[in-house]
């Protein structure tokens, strides 16, 4: 089996990247994490990647004149490593429309909300302020507009009484670590494909249970 050569782009601790690396340690997984690239020098995830034998690169966005120049360098670095597919994993930087177009349908992102609800920052704070009973995370293909694009998979978690931002973020993050490897598996294996602005599945996934919160 040839495995899809994937780069994970990070800005910080990289726990989602680590979940992808762990999944790809299984030779049956249809993707390998061939590169971890950070736009922040010293990002915690870089050491984690190196410990796992994954090639790392740092591209400090502050040393580029503008977004376009950074994205051109990023694209060149990805090509140097023969990267075929990119996963944004806590990559807190907007990409230019030109870059997104070049990597169209070869670029995934994970976002800590049930999109299209709560795009952008402070997702958990806003969800708590609204009093929602269910929160979650989304893996989607990237389009030029932030946190928009064909949705591959979502996971829902309950919001519990007394939750603060940290408690909710931790519950969602745990779901992210399961969801992202699963979503990449679906895409890398060809089980999920983009059809216009929707994701289609080769085989209908098993019917999920309903999540009630509070329980009925
Ligand atoms: C994750 O919760 C991810 O969903 C979020 O940043 C965190 C990164 O954690 N991403 C975004 O908010 C992107 N809009 P990690 O570095 O431990 O994976």
């Amino acid at each position: 089996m040839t495995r899809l050569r994937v780069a994970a782009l990070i800005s910080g601790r990289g726990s989602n990247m680590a979940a992808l690396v762990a999944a790809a340690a299984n030779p049956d997984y249809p993707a390998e994490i061939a590169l971890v690239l950070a736009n922040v020098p010293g990002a915690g995830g870089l050491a984690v990647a190196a410990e796992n034998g994954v090639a790392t690169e740092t591209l400090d966005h502050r040393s580029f004149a503008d977004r376009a120049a950074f994205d051109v360098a990023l694209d060149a670095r990805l090509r140097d490593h023969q990267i075929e597919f990119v996963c944004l994993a806590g990559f807190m930087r907007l990409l230019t429309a030109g870059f997104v177009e070049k990597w169209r349908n070869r670029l995934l992102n994970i976002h800590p909300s049930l999109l299209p609800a709560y795009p952008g920052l402070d997702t958990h704070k806003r969800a708590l302020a609204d009093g929602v009973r269910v929160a979650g995370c989304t893996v989607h293909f990237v389009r030029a507009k932030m946190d928009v694009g064909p949705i591959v998979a979502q996971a829902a978690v309950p919001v519990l009484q007394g939750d603060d931002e940290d408690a909710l973020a931790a519950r969602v993050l745990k779901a992210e670590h399961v969801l992202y490897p699963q979503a990449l598996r679906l895409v890398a294996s060809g089980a999920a494909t983009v059809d216009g602005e929707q994701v289609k599945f080769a085989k209908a996934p098993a019917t999920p249970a309903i999540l009630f919160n509070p329980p009925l």
Side-chain angles (χ1 to χ4, degrees):
M1 174 183 69
T2 53
R3 309 210 295 161
L4 190 67
R5 282 180 66 80
V6 174
L9 270 48
I10 64 168
S11 298
R13 71 190 158 188
S15 69
N16 276 291
M17 171 276 295
L20 294 174
V21 168
N26 178 347
D28 291 337
Y29 192 77
E32 63 174 305
I33 309 304
L35 173 69
V36 170
L37 184 146
N39 67 313
V40 177
L46 289 169
V48 178
E51 277 160 26
N52 283 279
V54 180
T56 61
E57 294 268 8
T58 301
L59 214 49
D60 185 350
H61 62 271
R62 291 168 305 186
S63 53
F64 292 88
D66 53 25
R67 274 181 204 284
F70 173 84
D71 284 3
V72 166
L74 173 60
D75 183 67
R77 217 51 80 84
L78 296 172
R79 280 163 207 279
D80 287 347
H81 287 265
Q82 283 99 45
I83 295 303
E84 302 169 297
F85 197 95
V86 176
C87 286
L88 306 182
F91 187 69
M92 306 308 275
R93 194 175 160 75
L94 282 177
L95 294 163
T96 57
F99 181 92
V100 170
E101 207 39 56
K102 245 185 186 165
W103 289 86
R104 189 180 177 81
N105 298 344
R106 296 186 296 144
L107 184 53
L108 286 180
N109 180 44
I110 187 156
H111 181 75
S113 78
L114 293 171
L115 291 172
Y118 308 116
L121 297 174
D122 296 326
T123 54
H124 306 305
K125 190 174 171 183
R126 288 185 285 146
L128 288 170
D130 286 345
V132 299
R133 298 264 78 91
V134 173
C137 48
T138 302
V139 175
H140 65 97
F141 284 94
V142 175
R143 294 294 183 254
K145 214 171 147 198
M146 188 177 59
D147 299 328
V148 168
I151 291 173
V152 181
Q154 295 185 303
V157 300
V159 179
L160 303 181
Q161 189 145 303
D163 270 353
D164 59 10
E165 255 185 89
D166 288 348
L168 181 56
R171 195 173 307 119
V172 172
L173 190 66
K174 230 170 138 180
E176 292 182 48
H177 296 162
V178 180
L179 186 72
Y180 211 172
Q182 189 52 29
L184 178 59
R185 174 195 288 282
L186 288 169
V187 172
S189 68
T193 48
V194 184
D195 180 8
E197 289 309 297
Q198 305 245 324
V199 171
K200 296 280 189 287
F201 298 92
K203 194 173 82 179
T207 312
I210 303 173
L211 171 67
F212 293 100
N213 184 40
L216 301 180

